[in-house]
Amino acid sequence: GESVGLHLPTLSVQEGDNSIINCAYSNSASDYFIWYKQESGKGPQFIIDIRSNMDKRQGQRVTVLLNKTVKHLSLQIAATQPGDSAVYFCAENSDNYGQNFVFGPGTRLSVLP
Amino acid sequence: DTAVSQTPKYLVTQMGNDKSIKCEQNLGHDTMYWYKQDSKKFLKIMFSYNNKELIINETVPNRFSPKSPDKAHLNLHINSLELGDSAVYFCASSRGGASGELFFGEGSRLTVL
C-alpha cells in the first residue's frame, strides 16, 4: 500500500507484482517529463522520458503514462524485483532550453520478498 | 569511466567555515547544474550553467558561489557555512536543448556542526 505523511511517501509491493508510482506535476506548460530512480547513496538515474505530445511510452519493464488534463504522470514497473527498491522522482521541464527541471517530492518503493 | 564526478563525497565541517565541492563531467555536455537534496529527499535546483555562463540562479543565498572555469567543470564554493546548509549536493550535466536528460554525480554529503 501507499502512505503519505511527514516522511517520504512509501509504496510497498510484493516481488513479482506490478508497481504503480504516481506523480502530480505543477506546471500546465511543462512539455517534457522524466522519471528518475535514486538508489541509496547514489545520484538519480534516468529511467524513461515522455513528451507532452504522447500519453504513453514503454521501455523495458517500465511504462510511463501522461494525463495532461489532470497534470498526472505515472510510472508502471512490471514484475517488480528487489533491485527496483529505490526512491523514484518525476521531473518536469517547461523551458525551451531544457535546463530547469522541477522535481516532484519522490516516492520510496520497497519490494517485499 | 565516471561520467559526472564530484569531490569530496563526504564533508564534515564547523559552522562559519568556507568549503568547496568540485564537479567534472566527461560527457561533452554544454550544461551543468547544482542541485540540493534535503533530509526529506526533496531535490531543488540551485544553479545552471551553459557553456560557462550562468543561466539559472534560484533563490540561493549569495554565500553560495558557483564557478565554471570551462564547460566540463562546475565548482561550488560556500562561505560562512550554516547548520541549514547540511544536505547532499548533486552536480549534474545535460546536452541542454529541448530533450536533455540530466546525468547526476554520486553526490556530496555536507554536514555542518
Side-chain angles (χ1 to χ4, degrees):
Chain A
E2 187 170 321
S3 62
V4 177
L6 293 175
H7 303 289
L8 195 63
T10 299
L11 176 66
S12 300
V13 296
Q14 290 292 137
E15 184 178 349
D17 285 354
N18 296 337
S19 304
I20 299 177
I21 300 171
N22 297 303
C23 175
Y25 64 91
S26 57
N27 187 348
S28 54
S30 291
D31 57 6
Y32 180 51
F33 305 86
I34 301 181
W35 278 101
Y36 284 90
K37 173 186 181 184
Q38 186 179 20
E39 295 176 279
S40 182
K42 295 190 174 180
Q45 284 183 295
F46 173 92
I47 303 173
I48 191 167
D49 60 359
I50 189 167
R51 296 195 167 289
S52 58
N53 61 355
M54 304 171 72
D55 52 23
K56 180 178 178 177
R57 188 150 191 244
Q58 284 185 291
Q60 191 178 17
R61 280 201 310 119
V62 293
T63 301
V64 55
L65 299 177
L66 174 62
N67 184 332
K68 294 182 286 292
T69 306
V70 295
K71 292 191 288 185
H72 184 267
L73 202 61
S74 68
L75 177 71
Q76 299 177 1
I77 305 174
T80 313
Q81 302 168 359
D84 296 327
S85 292
V87 178
Y88 290 80
F89 295 94
C90 64
E92 59 182 297
N93 180 269
S94 58
D95 71 81
N96 289 332
Y97 303 101
Q99 288 165 349
N100 190 358
F101 281 93
V102 175
F103 281 74
T107 297
R108 184 182 299 282
L109 176 65
S110 230
V111 181
L112 308 171
Chain B
D1 261 359
T2 306
V4 180
S5 58
Q6 46 184 117
T7 55
K9 193 168 170 65
Y10 299 99
L11 197 48
V12 180
T13 189
Q14 300 284 337
M15 255 177 22
N17 283 350
D18 303 338
K19 289 293 175 190
S20 292
I21 307 171
K22 294 185 175 182
C23 179
E24 176 182 3
Q25 54 96 2
N26 63 6
L27 297 166
H29 288 162
D30 287 336
T31 308
M32 294 186 73
Y33 311 77
W34 279 107
Y35 276 81
K36 180 180 180 181
Q37 187 170 50
D38 64 21
S39 58
K40 295 188 177 70
K41 297 289 190 185
F42 190 68
L43 262 170
K44 186 163 167 54
I45 191 166
M46 300 171 71
F47 301 104
S48 162
Y49 268 72
N50 182 263
N51 270 321
K52 301 193 300 174
E53 280 191 38
L54 181 65
I55 302 296
I56 293 171
N57 181 354
E58 290 295 299
T59 49
V60 177
N62 57 15
R63 296 182 295 105
F64 290 78
S65 51
K67 274 204 171 56
S68 182
D70 55 61
K71 74 174 195 176
H73 295 85
L74 181 63
N75 303 324
L76 183 66
H77 188 76
I78 316 170
N79 288 330
S80 304
L81 279 156
E82 299 177 358
L83 294 176
D85 298 332
S86 295
V88 182
Y89 292 85
F90 285 99
C91 178
S93 72
S94 75
R95 283 188 302 272
S99 59
E101 72 175 89
L102 299 172
F103 290 78
F104 283 87
E106 298 277 274
S108 297
R109 182 177 291 277
L110 172 65
T111 303
V112 183
L113 304 174

